[in-house]
Amino acid sequence: MKIGFLQFEPLFCQVESNLDKLSSMIEKAPDFDLLVLPELANSGYVFSSKSELVKASEIIPDGIFVEKLSEITKSRNSVIVCGICEKKGADFYNSSVLIGPDGFIGKYQKIHLFDREKLFFQPGNGPLISYEVKGMKIGMLVCFDWIFPEATRVLALEGIDILAHSANLVLPYSQTVMLARSIENRIFTITSNRTGTEKNGGIELTFTGQSQITSPKMELLASTGVDTEEIKIVEIDIELARNKWLNERNNVLLDRRSKMYSKLLK
Amino acid sequence: MKIGFLQFEPLFCQVESNLDKLSSMIEKAPDFDLLVLPELANSGYVFSSKSELVKASEIIPDGIFVEKLSEITKSRNSVIVCGICEKKGADFYNSSVLIGPDGFIGKYQKIHLFDREKLFFQPGNGPLISYEVKGMKIGMLVCFDWIFPEATRVLALEGIDILAHSANLVLPYSQTVMLARSIENRIFTITSNRTGTEKNGGIELTFTGQSQITSPKMELLASTGVDTEEIKIVEIDIELARNKWLNERNNVLLDRRSKMYSKLLK
């Protein structure tokens, strides 16, 4: 199984240009089964008004991003996860879409919004579920969801092999924490982060790249620089993520003492 | 506030010798408010029979380890957490004790047993609670508990500032994961690991030291080598662990979407 990330710099509110760039990068990429793209890949990140969101967002699955990415996944018999600025009625969601060889499969609406995202997006309601496609069980999270161990854990309990983590990270913590998410759940994780600096309405953010892939054994399988634009694909043995046994007596999911965790739901 | 770890090599079933060594090391240590000692510091680790457990265990709080450590904490007006091989009736627990300026405070019985521990110990029932002493809110976990994010999270929700993590680690993963536990809960963690090799009943294990202290900002505040025997103390600002805000809009505990985590208790 070949899985990877695409790291690039989306340009703010330049939806068509972003789509052209992604398409061109993917066209040149080697074979892959699953490719993860950054958060808000259609729109960019530093919003200062709702009118910008109106301009840069799309309805899922009827927008041009999902349409074009579906063409790609159909022609390449592959799966893509991509962060999308979603418009739904009068509301906006920081979403991720899963698109397979037969087109659109499902979406995830980010449940833990970061900082000023709370000014523009509605908090999503997931769902935190596993999608099975091309022999892979895939779960989606977006960026700041990384800090809540519960989110990845729920997906692991739902059966995912691979966490597709689309991100627009500015801080340097997620990469280390994803190693923990990998081993504590015995899953692969793919973090696709963006690069570049955006300045708008008095706010300036620099995104820190360093996209990466981690294994159930807490290995860093691939990573890239802070400002490179590239696709990296690695070959994995997905069975590794289906064996939750650490040794003959310990299983990371079956050994959970859930009766002692009731505080988690309060 | 001064917190630290003691790393040493307990000798198998040599309770008095282990206690003498610890006492002597602590006597020479600089001032501390909290010092964490390794798992099973009285007994060693590689058991092959219950008779060895009978010999090396003690009743809590009436055994010689708790008695001697209480003398130390009283005379030094300080707090010690120590892993203890506990005898209770006909059963044994892999426990940790919290001892303060007024003596014994409480114990924690390891809830997630590792590998062959399941042959000799009963799984404990915690409790996963916070103890307040000398202005610190302290929670205890033992070794393999590190891999279950739920355990540390429950303690964080109970209000701990500092996780006292007594360990007998052989694998290299916990140190990285404790960095994640620190930032996802905004707490300090102290991992006190042991050193040395034990061989018994055809089993040989080498313990990997590398005890460490981490901060709510995911900093590694102190660490040591794989086979050093030493005490390290660092000065911390405990208020850091009481501020769960990452920025003006995000709080690592209040931002949890617990209604979406129900799968965790199933």
Side-chain angles (χ1 to χ4, degrees), chain B residues 115-150:
Chain B
D115 204 355
R116 296 177 75 257
E117 294 169 25
K118 294 189 178 187
L119 306 179
F120 300 106
F121 294 104
Q122 297 299 310
N125 290 304
L128 294 174
I129 58 174
S130 172
Y131 294 92
E132 184 155 6
V133 51
K134 276 205 85 182
M136 301 173 282
K137 294 176 187 167
I138 300 168
M140 291 177 275
L141 290 178
V142 175
C143 207
F144 185 56
D145 289 326
W146 66 263
I147 208 171
F148 301 92
E150 296 91 342

Side-chain angles (χ1 to χ4, degrees), chain B residues 25-257:
Chain B
M25 286 178 76
I26 298 171
E27 200 171 296
K28 295 177 208 127
D31 277 352
F32 59 87
D33 295 290
L34 170 63
L35 186 67
V36 181
L37 279 49
E39 178 184 12
L40 297 175
N42 57 332
S43 62
Y45 188 87
V46 183
F47 293 101
S48 67
S49 72
K50 288 246 174 184
S51 63
E52 291 163 346
L53 282 146
V54 171
K55 184 179 170 198
S57 59
E58 67 179 58
I59 294 167
I60 295 174
D62 301 324
I64 64 166
F65 250 68
V66 172
E67 185 184 19
K68 176 65 182 171
L69 293 176
S70 296
E71 282 173 24
I72 294 172
T73 55
K74 285 174 187 172
S75 73
R76 296 193 62 145
N77 186 34
S78 64
V79 181
I80 287 177
V81 170
C82 181
I84 297 284
C85 182
E86 178 188 8
K87 178 176 170 56
K88 189 178 179 192
D91 293 327
F92 301 93
Y93 294 89
N94 187 337
S95 297
S96 197
V97 292
L98 176 71
I99 306 171
D102 299 320
F104 177 77
I105 296 170
K107 72 180 175 186
Y108 164 79
Q109 296 176 321
K110 187 176 186 177
I111 64 173
H112 305 101
L113 295 173
F114 184 69
D115 204 355
R116 296 177 75 257
E117 294 169 25
K118 294 189 178 187
L119 306 179
F120 300 106
F121 294 104
Q122 297 299 310
N125 290 304
L128 294 174
I129 58 174
S130 172
Y131 294 92
E132 184 155 6
V133 51
K134 276 205 85 182
M136 301 173 282
K137 294 176 187 167
I138 300 168
M140 291 177 275
L141 290 178
V142 175
C143 207
F144 185 56
D145 289 326
W146 66 263
I147 208 171
F148 301 92
E150 296 91 342
T152 306
R153 184 63 120 193
V154 167
L155 290 172
L157 291 167
E158 292 284 343
I160 68 165
D161 306 311
I162 304 170
L163 174 64
H165 180 225
S166 295
N168 277 190
L169 296 162
V170 293
L171 298 172
Y173 307 118
S174 169
Q175 283 83 354
T176 298
V177 174
M178 278 293 148
L179 290 167
R181 298 288 174 260
S182 266
I183 192 156
E184 71 201 19
N185 296 296
R186 300 272 295 184
I187 56 169
F188 294 92
T189 78
I190 306 171
T191 296
S192 168
N193 195 23
R194 63 161 288 181
T195 61
T197 296
E198 278 187 23
K199 206 171 176 174
N200 189 13
I203 307 287
E204 180 174 327
L205 290 181
T206 295
F207 303 93
T208 49
Q210 301 173 79
S211 298
Q212 67 176 24
I213 305 171
T214 66
S215 85
K217 295 180 173 179
M218 213 179 89
E219 299 151 313
L220 183 62
L221 299 180
S223 63
T224 185
V226 295
D227 55 10
T228 47
E229 292 193 304
E230 70 169 328
I231 290 174
K232 278 203 177 175
I233 310 285
V234 297
E235 180 128 25
I236 61 159
D237 174 7
I238 204 157
E239 290 302 321
L240 266 184
R242 291 175 184 176
N243 175 11
K244 304 299 185 188
W245 292 93
L246 296 170
N247 56 54
E248 62 179 302
R249 295 183 186 87
N250 289 114
N251 180 301
V252 293
L253 298 185
L254 299 179
D255 277 354
R256 296 172 68 250
R257 299 285 307 275

Side-chain angles (χ1 to χ4, degrees), chain A residues 61-120:
Chain A
D62 302 323
I64 64 166
F65 249 69
V66 172
E67 184 184 19
K68 175 66 181 171
L69 293 176
S70 296
E71 281 173 24
I72 295 173
T73 55
K74 285 174 187 172
S75 72
R76 296 193 62 144
N77 185 33
S78 63
V79 181
I80 287 178
V81 169
C82 181
I84 298 282
C85 182
E86 179 188 8
K87 177 175 171 57
K88 190 178 178 192
D91 292 328
F92 300 94
Y93 293 90
N94 186 337
S95 297
S96 196
V97 292
L98 176 70
I99 306 171
D102 299 320
F104 177 76
I105 297 170
K107 71 179 176 185
Y108 163 79
Q109 297 176 320
K110 187 175 187 177
I111 65 175
H112 305 101
L113 295 174
F114 184 69
D115 204 354
R116 296 177 73 257
E117 294 169 26
K118 294 189 179 189
L119 306 180
F120 300 106

